[in-house]
Amino acid sequence: MTTETATRGARHTELDMLEAEAIFIMREVAAEFERPALLFSGGKDSIVLLRIAEKAFWPAKFPFPVMHVDTGHNFPEVIAFRDKRAAELGARLIVGSVQQAIDEGTLTEERGIRASRNRLQTPVLLATIAEHQIDAAMGGARRDEEKARAKERVFSFRDEFGQWDPRNQRPELWSLYNGMHIKGEHMRVFPLSNWTELDIWHYIEREALEVPSIYFTHEREVFERDGMLMSVCPYLPQLPHETTFVAPVRYRTVGDMTCTAAVRSDAADIRAVINEIAVARVTERGASRADDQFSEAAMEDRKREGYF
Amino acid sequence: MDLLRFVTAGSVDDGKSTLIGRLLYDSKQVFEDTLASIQRASEARGLGDMNLALLTDGLRAEREQGITIDVAYRYFATPKRKFIIADSPGHVQYTRNMVTGASTASLALILIDARKGVVSQTRRHSALTSLLGITHLVLCVNKMDLAEWSETRFNEVEADFRAFAGQLGVQEVTVIPMAAVSGENIVDRGEHMPWYTGPTLLEFLETVETPDHVSHGALRFPVQYVLRPHTDEFHDYRGYAGTVASGTVTPGQEILALPLGIRTRVAAVDRFQEQCASATNGDAVSIRLTEEVDVGRGHMLVDPAHAPASATRFSADLCWMSDTLQLRPRQQLWLKHTTRRVRCMVESLDDRLDVETLERSAGPASFGLNDIGRVTLRTMEPIFADPYAVSRDTGSFILIDGSSHQTVAGGMVREVLAQAGAPA
């Protein structure tokens, strides 16, 4: 009886509650879908998602493959990390390649100095989902990231064209998720919907999770564009006035090298990153994502087309 | 630090989005780039230099129409507490989205315009949140600046609202006068209402105690998934994965497995590489039993001394949410309750609730979008249910249309009934 009283007396922390909620969602997916997959980019949110998967099905392996859409313009450190992590867990890794789609002539590269493969991810994601007959793709997106995401359900229904219809979302009550669909339709599922950027870092610290090195301070050759620090790389042509310099930077989010910016930082470990975010006055997407700056509803528009 | 989930509701133009914008802004949760983007948007729309409502209305259609259509979830934290806001639409047409927002909340903020006082929407929002089991209502009497900061006016509104809340049987009502546009009594006190000595909204939210959503301590463990690793190390492992809905589970404890009706004991409670001394409601664990029994998804492990009813016929409150399908007697649908999905049939529509007058009219012919009322349902296989008033997790269900796969209703079990034809 003493243990019972002790457990009841102990309040769950907010991280315990968020973790339990995410585990519940993931188990619902495994139980209700035939061919789920976990989207794993090597970024911090999907690292947490992978940890949740380990926990939800222990001592069994999680019963789904991990999947990534590689634009060919990703940070090499992150791709190396992705492969290492998938191998450690013995997970099957499915990679959809934007480069391959371009080489095969099914996609056309954008032109101009602001060319990015960000939008090209969507058709490749949808093709990969169709090829592997994935009926539920779990992602690490969070509602605090962006205003269109703040409106999205945990189980987010996609029609046979992979489109999200924000005006016609299924009501989602209590923790009763409705995964019913017909062949060809699929669901995007976001177990970390209720987590914030700080929760992610607190959890990474608590679980002592490894993250790619670019999340911590390092010296990098960068140049300034639209007030953001872009990494010098072969995929990103520089204008004559965009001069290169070396600065101590880190990344708050990890995406394509062409649209992910670095922030000046001296944060060398998780604790320092947490301290930095706790006082940050700019959102992670605002600080580091050029792709969201196109218009007021850039994310909503991309999501309608089938983006993550 | 603990977590408070609350829902906000108000009529069109009561300033709900502004209130939330203010709460986030004044508690320094709005970032510079977000501010810059809403500043640009405000100017482009001729809404003045800073329209805080644009912080929450995120969809194109919402910005175009200037109203909230769907629930937006917002997150903020103070040194005392972490908050999840389900910012819900007030418009009658989007009632189902408000019900979605309220279903996971422990407290509701209801906004009204001080000049207009309690209006039909106020009554509807209060009735809906109370129907969904929210026991704490906070009435935010907004736009006090336009009511000359009048204490008399505030007292009138408060008295009106308390009378209505009394009819609903709401346990806790808090009423706060405020002006969201200037921030009075949201985070800071301001100087215009010295006659008000109660807490500001944020002070209140930081300190309020809300009850658990379960008022009994009997074990309910809906099985979600069976874990069979088939590895050398865990060759014979068979664990029942799930989240404890209520009560506590401890190794050695006797349990009843439903629907099998078999009594056995808990061998271990596992949670990622360790065995726990016990697990309690909200814990996601894996339970091993001492005997091999054929338990699977949709089954429930329960306290044998306080088992839930195995119900195949029950009455429930239903919120009908389909804009294309009408609910009629004899209709067949899927019912999802905990982790269990069964076929169900509507035996009868017993009444429809007018959420503004709280009057119930007997024997409606059908339910359409946003109708709320009492129904009698029959299921092909039993569900293991408690009344919603006792436990949200084991008293709630959704109905799914078999052809469109849409979620067409949210339901709350009221009372388990005897089988048709059987003696009551």
Side-chain angles (χ1 to χ4, degrees):
Chain A
M1 286 314 283
T2 35
T3 49
E4 187 178 329
T5 330
T7 313
R8 271 171 187 279
R11 292 293 299 171
H12 291 120
T13 68
E14 79 272 22
L15 279 187
D16 293 334
M17 289 157 83
L18 292 169
E19 181 191 65
E21 180 181 68
I23 288 174
F24 176 84
I25 293 164
M26 221 175 251
R27 287 170 171 172
E28 283 298 282
V29 170
E32 292 218 337
F33 293 87
E34 280 175 33
R35 299 172 74 98
L38 184 150
L39 295 168
F40 180 61
S41 64
K44 65 185 189 315
D45 302 312
S46 61
I47 288 168
V48 168
L49 203 60
L50 209 51
R51 178 61 159 192
I52 299 288
E54 273 187 275
K55 290 197 170 192
F57 302 98
W58 183 88
K61 273 188 189 169
F62 47 84
F64 35 74
V66 298
M67 192 166 114
H68 182 227
V69 175
D70 187 351
T71 59
H73 290 172
N74 288 98
F75 291 91
E77 298 92 331
V78 178
I79 295 298
F81 178 85
R82 176 199 76 185
D83 294 344
K84 179 173 89 101
R85 202 61 199 114
E88 281 168 2
L89 293 169
R92 184 160 75 93
L93 175 67
I94 297 172
V95 177
S97 165
V98 173
Q99 186 62 55
Q100 193 184 329
I102 292 170
D103 294 345
E104 288 168 358
T106 51
L107 285 180
T108 311
E109 187 104 68
E110 286 182 10
R111 289 166 194 279
I113 67 139
R114 277 163 214 285
S116 160
R117 290 185 172 178
N118 188 282
R119 280 194 107 98
L120 302 185
Q121 289 179 88
T122 301
V124 175
L125 173 67
L126 294 176
T128 312
I129 284 173
E131 183 192 338
H132 296 272
Q133 296 175 308
I134 302 299
D135 53 5
M138 288 177 275
R142 313 184 320 266
R143 286 172 175 156
D144 84 319
E145 278 180 80
E146 205 281 332
K147 56 188 179 292
R149 287 200 165 145
K151 299 261 171 182
E152 193 164 7
R153 303 282 189 256
V154 172
F155 271 44
S156 184
F157 176 80
R158 300 302 157 108
D159 64 18
E160 56 184 322
F161 298 100
Q163 299 182 107
W164 179 54
D165 180 0
R167 303 228 25 194
N168 196 25
Q169 301 194 80
R170 288 182 179 176
E172 194 165 78
L173 293 97
W174 301 288
S175 50
L176 294 169
Y177 302 107
N178 172 7
M180 291 183 80
H181 64 284
I182 56 170
K183 209 170 167 61
E185 299 168 342
H186 74 276
M187 208 66 79
R188 302 287 171 83
V189 180
F190 304 109
L192 309 180
S193 285
N194 289 322
W195 297 50
T196 63
E197 185 186 11
L198 258 181
D199 294 327
I200 293 288
W201 282 106
H202 280 301
Y203 191 74
I204 286 171
E205 182 183 44
R206 187 182 91 172
E207 302 286 316
L209 302 180
E210 194 189 340
V211 297
S213 56
I214 64 169
Y215 278 116
F216 303 114
T217 186
H218 56 287
E219 299 274 317
R220 183 176 284 267
E221 284 199 312
V222 293
F223 64 93
E224 201 176 314
R225 175 175 292 177
D226 303 332
M228 291 192 274
L229 296 180
M230 307 305 291
S231 181
V232 171
C233 73
Y235 323 121
L236 200 56
Q238 283 169 251
L239 294 171
H241 69 274
E242 293 174 334
T243 49
T244 299
F245 56 98
V246 173
V249 297
R250 69 173 205 89
Y251 285 86
R252 268 177 88 179
T253 67
V254 163
D256 223 47
M257 288 188 88
T258 58
C259 66
T260 310
V263 292
R264 281 179 194 274
S265 170
D266 297 317
D269 55 29
I270 292 170
R271 212 8 47 197
V273 168
I274 289 174
N275 291 338
E276 187 184 280
I277 298 165
V279 298
R281 299 303 303 146
V282 178
T283 64
E284 57 181 327
R285 296 198 79 88
S288 59
R289 284 305 178 91
D291 49 332
D292 286 346
Q293 320 276 321
F294 295 134
S295 84
E296 224 185 282
M299 175 68 91
E300 181 184 344
D301 294 345
R302 280 180 295 147
K303 286 188 85 69
R304 281 171 182 273
E305 292 169 9
Y307 188 73
F308 306 120
Chain B
M1 193 157 56
D2 70 340
L3 186 65
L4 179 71
R5 293 184 193 232
F6 65 93
V7 60
T8 58
S11 315
V12 177
D13 297 333
D14 279 346
K16 179 172 55 65
S17 296
T18 311
L19 171 88
I20 292 170
R22 180 55 72 181
L23 206 51
L24 301 177
Y25 183 70
D26 286 359
S27 59
K28 308 201 166 44
Q29 302 286 325
V30 181
F31 295 101
E32 284 163 8
D33 54 316
T34 312
L35 275 186
S37 91
I38 64 166
Q39 202 149 10
R40 281 197 302 273
S42 303
E43 282 162 9
R45 283 180 175 64
L47 296 172
D49 53 29
M50 182 72 80
N51 186 336
L52 289 172
L54 293 180
L55 273 176
T56 58
D57 290 337
L59 299 176
R60 270 186 189 284
E62 294 178 320
R63 288 169 176 238
E64 281 157 18
Q65 298 173 35
I67 57 166
T68 308
I69 292 172
D70 211 334
V71 194
Y73 294 89
R74 302 285 155 192
Y75 305 83
F76 74 106
T78 67
K80 292 186 180 140
R81 212 171 217 179
K82 189 175 155 132
F83 300 93
I84 301 181
I85 311 176
D87 178 17
S88 301
H91 210 273
V92 63
Q93 186 185 347
Y94 305 115
T95 295
R96 63 176 178 185
N97 295 336
M98 192 196 142
V99 169
T100 291
S103 71
T104 52
S106 332
L107 176 144
L109 300 193
I110 313 264
L111 252 85
I112 60 173
D113 182 326
R115 297 166 302 172
K116 296 178 190 157
V118 175
V119 296
S120 62
Q121 298 230 47
T122 320
R123 288 190 282 270
R124 194 160 50 80
H125 296 151
S126 311
L128 282 173
T129 50
S130 132
L131 189 73
L132 282 150
I134 295 175
T135 52
H136 277 59
L137 292 190
V138 184
L139 184 74
C140 301
V141 184
N142 193 24
K143 306 202 179 180
M144 285 299 292
D145 51 324
L146 303 178
E148 292 154 355
W149 311 105
S150 161
E151 182 179 10
T152 316
R153 179 61 190 147
F154 173 75
N155 289 339
E156 281 169 18
V157 172
E158 174 169 10
D160 265 8
F161 186 74
R162 285 192 186 276
F164 181 74
Q167 279 178 269
L168 288 173
V170 176
Q171 293 158 11
E172 299 280 343
V173 175
T174 305
V175 188
I176 304 175
M178 61 184 64
V181 73
S182 59
E184 207 103 357
N185 283 342
I186 309 285
V187 173
D188 302 314
R189 199 154 279 280
E191 56 193 29
H192 292 101
M193 292 178 282
W195 46 264
Y196 175 74
T197 53
T200 65
L201 179 59
L202 187 64
E203 284 167 4
F204 175 79
L205 292 173
E206 282 183 331
T207 52
V208 63
E209 293 288 334
T210 55
D212 268 351
H213 299 309
V214 41
S215 61
H216 69 160
L219 175 67
R220 303 283 185 265
F221 184 81
V223 175
Q224 261 191 300
Y225 192 83
V226 182
L227 294 168
R228 306 281 324 256
H230 299 296
T231 56
D232 292 343
E233 192 185 351
F234 296 99
H235 193 265
D236 295 320
Y237 188 97
R238 181 198 280 255
Y240 301 105
T243 298
V244 182
S246 63
T248 302
V249 57
T250 315
Q253 174 182 342
E254 193 184 28
I255 58 98
L256 173 66
L258 294 173
L260 303 173
I262 295 171
R263 285 184 185 225
T264 179
R265 287 187 184 278
V266 173
V269 179
D270 297 327
R271 178 160 48 187
F272 191 54
Q273 300 176 350
E274 52 187 51
Q275 293 189 19
C276 319
S278 74
T280 184
N281 59 316
D283 288 337
V285 294
S286 162
I287 293 177
R288 280 181 281 152
L289 300 176
T290 50
E291 288 164 83
E292 258 201 26
V293 284
D294 189 20
V295 170
R297 176 170 171 84
H299 293 198
M300 197 184 281
L301 309 180
V302 306
D303 179 349
H306 303 279
S310 285
T312 51
R313 186 166 175 265
F314 55 93
S315 75
D317 287 316
L318 210 64
C319 305
W320 189 252
M321 298 176 157
S322 174
D323 43 10
T324 51
L325 193 70
Q326 301 265 317
L327 181 72
R328 293 179 199 283
R330 305 207 57 77
Q331 200 156 328
Q332 291 201 18
L333 295 151
W334 286 104
L335 181 148
K336 188 176 183 190
H337 170 262
T338 66
T339 59
R340 192 169 174 81
R341 195 163 68 197
V342 297
R343 294 290 297 171
C344 86
M345 195 186 73
V346 183
E347 183 177 301
S348 57
L349 305 186
D350 303 326
D351 67 35
R352 181 191 282 123
L353 174 69
D354 182 326
V355 283
E356 284 161 25
T357 61
L358 302 183
E359 279 166 16
R360 288 178 178 273
S361 48
S366 65
F367 281 176
L369 177 63
N370 297 325
D371 275 345
I372 289 169
R374 187 102 15 112
V375 298
T376 302
L377 298 177
R378 286 211 323 242
T379 56
M380 293 275 288
E381 294 164 89
I383 61 165
F384 317 112
D386 295 292
Y388 186 78
V390 174
S391 167
R392 263 193 196 189
D393 283 347
T394 52
S396 57
F397 61 88
I398 55 171
L399 297 180
I400 301 165
D401 172 34
S403 55
S404 69
H405 297 153
Q406 277 286 344
T407 305
V408 290
M412 292 152 280
V413 175
R414 285 195 59 86
E415 190 189 356
V416 173
L417 304 170
Q419 295 245 14

